[in-house]
Amino acid sequence: MIRTANIAGAGIGGLTAAIALARQGGEVRIFEQASELAEVGAGLQLSPNAMRVMAALGLEDALQAVAFAPERARVIDGKTGRDLINLPLRAVSRPLYGAPYLHVHRADVQGILYREAQRLGVTFNLGEAVTGYTKTGLMVSGEEQSADLNIGADGIRSAIAAQMHLNLPVRFTGQVAWRGSVATADLPKGLIGPDASVWVGQGKHLVTYYLRGGDLVNFVAVEERDNWHNPSWTEPGDPAQIQAAFSDWHPTVQTLLNGAEETFLWALFDRPVLPFWSQGSIGLLGDACHPTLPFMAQGAAMAIEDAFVLARCVATEQNAATALTRYTTLRRPRTSRLQARARSNAELFHQTGFANGLLPRLKLAIAGQLPDRLGLRPFDAIYGYNATTVLP
């Protein structure tokens, strides 16, 4: 029987896994290197596939209360402001996919998950860095912490994944992401539409959407860069630099970015598909095993799905090793496909390739002429996936 579980990392995936496991009656401990659960201000897109899990965990209402539901999904030419693709989202998400599509502040999601985990009796060990693992547990601050099940949900720089896959380190993609938000009240009324918008252009793109019921406009701007040398992979950004990078884009973009008082800069790293996700009682989850670039808005959703499927496997298997093997078998094909699709979207959004991105531009032009239902069909396999029914 699997009665005890250790989890490295108190991010979205680790917290969701803790809740799902604790609901089954397990004793769960989380080890988090940060001394407090404080997230850099940034948004998350919780698509219907993620929200199905949140609903199954009893958290949909709490998330709805702090979220914003976008009306439409748009792809916009970054310089002209012309719609290339414009599809319904709010009105069709539940009828088509069984759950809403929400934009939520990362700190709000983390807070909701943290409180629910506490309510269920999950033990939090903050300021405790996980540095590796043994056959029976995690190495935490130089000491072994044993458990029946041990999960590395410690992100793309996972110490668990690094030990498990010594010859497959993460690699810099040549892209960086600027993240920030601006109070809606500080912007001209109606400047940003109530949508999930991707502004595309040569060598860079920008994502905009509302948070906290519309009080904040979140932005994520990705540009190609080959000169990242900071080993921390994330650092405060200078708003003047992002403003300069998009200075020749549409006035809407410039007005939004000129309103940013602070930004954070992430280097985007990737890893090839891992040949295995577990060794004995030690397993990986989320970005630790399948980092997904932010070109599909599915990174958090994949970790959330992982957590629920993992807990179901634990409930149906007699030991951790077989549970983790089954979990990997169920999850790796889907996450690998989405990793590849996210990578390919970089070319689409940044309009790279032959003749200044002729093929990506043609793809967007064709997609923009499709009826709404046909335009949404490529997302059916993503948003229609139901992790809560993968296992009985």
Side-chain angles (χ1 to χ4, degrees):
M1 293 291 292
I2 303 171
R3 296 187 176 89
T4 59
N6 289 332
I7 298 174
I12 304 301
L15 289 169
T16 306
I19 292 168
L21 291 167
R23 282 167 59 94
Q24 296 174 178
E27 178 186 339
V28 183
R29 298 185 296 176
I30 288 183
F31 298 91
E32 166 58 46
Q33 65 178 349
S35 58
E36 60 178 342
L37 294 185
E39 282 279 2
V40 172
L44 287 178
Q45 299 194 46
L46 295 182
S47 49
N49 47 307
M51 287 305 301
R52 282 179 181 269
V53 173
M54 293 305 184
L57 297 176
L59 301 175
E60 181 178 338
D61 289 347
L63 289 166
Q64 289 264 26
V66 297
F68 183 87
E71 289 186 8
R72 305 186 70 82
R74 300 169 63 195
V75 178
I76 306 169
D77 185 283
K79 292 195 174 182
T80 67
R82 179 174 63 89
D83 273 349
L84 304 175
I85 297 175
N86 191 321
L87 296 169
L89 200 53
R90 183 187 299 173
V92 303
S93 289
R94 198 178 292 275
L96 284 180
Y97 306 121
Y101 195 117
L102 300 181
H103 294 155
V104 193
H105 198 288
R106 183 181 292 269
D108 293 341
V109 179
Q110 190 175 41
I112 289 168
L113 294 174
Y114 176 58
R115 290 188 290 273
E116 177 66 5
Q118 284 188 310
R119 187 186 71 82
L120 292 170
V122 174
T123 301
F124 284 84
N125 300 273
L126 303 182
E128 297 283 354
V130 175
T131 56
Y133 62 90
T134 65
K135 289 184 178 181
T136 57
L138 302 181
M139 290 301 298
V140 183
S141 299
E143 296 184 2
E144 182 188 34
Q145 300 289 342
S146 298
D148 299 326
L149 175 70
N150 300 276
I151 300 299
D154 45 347
I156 192 169
R157 291 299 184 92
S158 166
I160 310 299
Q163 180 177 337
M164 193 177 292
H165 297 281
L166 293 174
N167 297 319
L168 293 173
V170 295
R171 58 196 180 195
F172 179 49
T173 63
Q175 298 163 334
V176 296
W178 304 78
R179 301 173 188 261
S181 60
V182 180
T184 305
D186 294 338
L187 296 170
K189 187 175 181 180
L191 178 77
I192 301 297
D195 310 304
S197 298
V198 182
W199 302 71
V200 300
Q202 286 278 318
K204 51 183 176 281
H205 78 278
L206 176 78
V207 177
T208 59
Y209 54 84
Y210 283 102
L211 299 173
R212 290 181 172 162
D215 290 343
L216 291 176
V217 176
N218 184 79
F219 65 83
V220 182
V222 178
E223 65 170 326
E224 297 177 7
R225 180 188 293 186
D226 60 6
N227 61 347
W228 186 273
H229 301 296
N230 187 338
S232 72
W233 70 274
T234 181
E235 63 182 30
D238 182 355
Q241 292 183 5
I242 185 176
Q243 291 158 8
F246 290 83
S247 62
D248 60 345
W249 276 37
H250 192 268
T252 295
V253 171
Q254 295 184 49
T255 300
L256 170 63
L257 297 180
N258 287 341
E261 296 182 357
E262 68 173 3
T263 61
F264 290 87
L265 191 60
W266 268 259
L268 300 184
F269 284 82
D270 199 2
R271 173 182 269 126
V273 174
L274 298 181
F276 54 90
W277 290 5
S278 65
Q279 287 184 341
S281 70
I282 316 297
L284 301 171
L285 182 151
D287 279 354
C289 50
H290 52 74
T292 306
L293 294 173
F295 304 122
M296 286 293 297
Q298 285 296 302
M302 289 302 99
I304 289 167
E305 289 180 4
D306 283 354
F308 198 91
V309 174
L310 171 63
R312 282 291 175 89
C313 289
V314 167
T316 56
E317 299 291 342
Q318 289 299 306
N319 62 71
T322 55
L324 288 169
T325 298
R326 191 177 190 191
Y327 152 75
T328 303
T329 300
L330 290 169
R331 292 297 299 157
R332 190 169 58 179
R334 174 169 169 81
T335 59
S336 298
R337 286 194 298 271
L338 284 176
Q339 279 182 289
R341 188 165 172 180
R343 292 184 192 111
S344 68
N345 271 4
E347 178 178 307
L348 188 68
F349 292 169
H350 293 183
Q351 300 180 356
T352 57
F354 174 75
N356 291 322
L358 176 61
L359 182 58
R361 293 202 305 274
L362 285 174
K363 288 180 178 179
L364 290 172
I366 293 170
Q369 299 303 311
L370 296 175
D372 287 349
R373 186 65 191 96
L374 282 178
L376 286 165
R377 190 151 292 167
F379 299 95
D380 287 356
I382 302 173
Y383 300 159
Y385 178 89
N386 189 349
T388 69
T389 60
V390 170
L391 290 169

